[in-house]
Amino acid sequence: MNAQTIIAKRIALELRSGMLVNLGIGIPTLVANYVPAGMDVYFQSENGLIGTGPVPEEGFAHPKLTDAGGKAVSALPGACTFDSAVSFGLIRGGHVDMTVLGGLQVDAAGLLANWMIPGKMVPGMGGAMDLVTGAKRVVVAMQHTARGKPKIIPKCNLPLTSARPVDLIVTEMAVLALADGHLKLMEIAPGVSVEQVLAATEAELEVPADVPVMPIR
C-alpha cells in the first residue's frame, strides 16, 4: 500500500454508522473509498452536498458534481444539494460529527496549520477554519514528513488554522492522539518501528510500553 492508502484506510476505521462527516481535499477524499461494508455514513462537502460517494471511475464524472476543491465526486442515492449558507450553518452549528483535513504542520499542542505557506499564492482558507472550530471531532490526514522534514513539530511556524487543537493525526507511519494537552503515540503502521516514528517526529511524544500496529489490510 502507498502512503495515501494507508492513511485513508486507517481513518475509515474511525467512522461509525449515522455519522455526518466532512472530507477535506486531497488525501481525506480517499476515505470515502474505504467505508466498512454495511455502514451508512453521510459525507458532506462544504460547497453544498451531503451524500458524496467514492471517487467516480474514469468516464463517469459529472462536470457539475465536485467537492470543495473542484475534484469530481459521486453522489449516493438520497444525496442532497444546498447553498453555502446552509452548508456552513451545519458546520458552525456543531452538526458535523467528524471532519478529516489535510495538514502542513501539527505541533506538540495539537494545533494545525493547513491553509497557506507565506509567500506562495493561495486561493483562500476555504472551510478549514470553520471545520476545525465547529466539528465535534477533528482528524488530520497527512504524510509524516515533507521532503524529509518532519511535519509534526514542537511549534507551528506556519499560520494556524484554528486555536482549537485537533483530536487525531493519522500518517503513513503512525496514529497520534492528543491526550491531556500533549501528543501520544497510539499505533504504528505495518512494517514501521517506534524508533522510526520518533526519528521522523520533532515534537515530543508520549510512548506507551506497548504500541499496537494499525489494524488495516
Side-chain angles (χ1 to χ4, degrees):
M1 284 185 283
N2 61 30
Q4 294 187 348
T5 301
I6 291 171
I7 296 167
K9 281 190 169 186
R10 177 57 189 83
I11 292 175
L13 297 179
E14 298 296 309
L15 301 173
R16 300 293 182 269
S17 284
M19 271 187 166
L20 179 61
V21 180
N22 178 283
L23 300 179
I25 61 175
I27 296 174
T29 61
L30 301 177
V31 174
N33 297 337
Y34 301 107
V35 177
M39 184 177 292
D40 292 321
V41 178
Y42 303 96
F43 290 113
Q44 182 236 14
S45 183
E46 62 263 34
N47 57 326
L49 175 66
I50 288 179
T52 61
V55 176
E57 297 179 15
E58 187 174 352
F60 286 86
H62 191 286
K64 294 185 178 180
L65 192 59
T66 70
D67 63 18
K71 300 290 187 182
V73 294
S74 60
L76 300 175
C80 61
T81 59
F82 36 84
D83 63 16
S84 290
V86 172
S87 188
F88 278 86
L90 289 169
I91 295 168
R92 295 169 181 170
H95 303 290
V96 175
D97 295 300
M98 186 169 81
T99 184
V100 183
L101 298 168
L104 296 171
Q105 295 176 337
V106 180
D107 68 20
L111 297 178
L112 170 68
N114 83 335
W115 72 281
M116 73 167 294
I117 298 174
K120 293 191 176 183
M121 187 181 75
V122 292
M125 179 169 277
M129 175 192 292
D130 301 272
L131 286 161
V132 176
T133 303
K136 295 175 184 176
R137 191 166 186 236
V138 180
V139 178
V140 176
M142 69 177 190
Q143 295 196 32
H144 211 94
T145 61
R147 298 177 182 175
K149 294 183 179 180
K151 296 172 69 174
I152 303 168
I153 57 180
K155 189 173 180 63
C156 290
N157 52 43
L158 295 175
L160 294 177
T161 303
S162 173
R164 174 193 171 182
V166 305
D167 299 292
L168 197 71
I169 307 163
V170 180
T171 77
E172 79 281 15
M173 298 184 74
V175 177
L176 309 174
L178 191 70
D180 298 322
H182 62 273
L183 296 179
K184 180 178 181 179
L185 180 59
M186 305 299 293
E187 297 172 6
I188 51 176
V192 175
S193 67
V194 170
E195 290 73 24
Q196 287 174 312
V197 173
L198 294 176
T201 308
E202 285 187 358
E204 185 175 345
L205 302 180
E206 177 187 344
V207 181
D210 182 31
V211 181
V213 176
M214 292 183 194
I216 57 173
R217 290 187 290 178

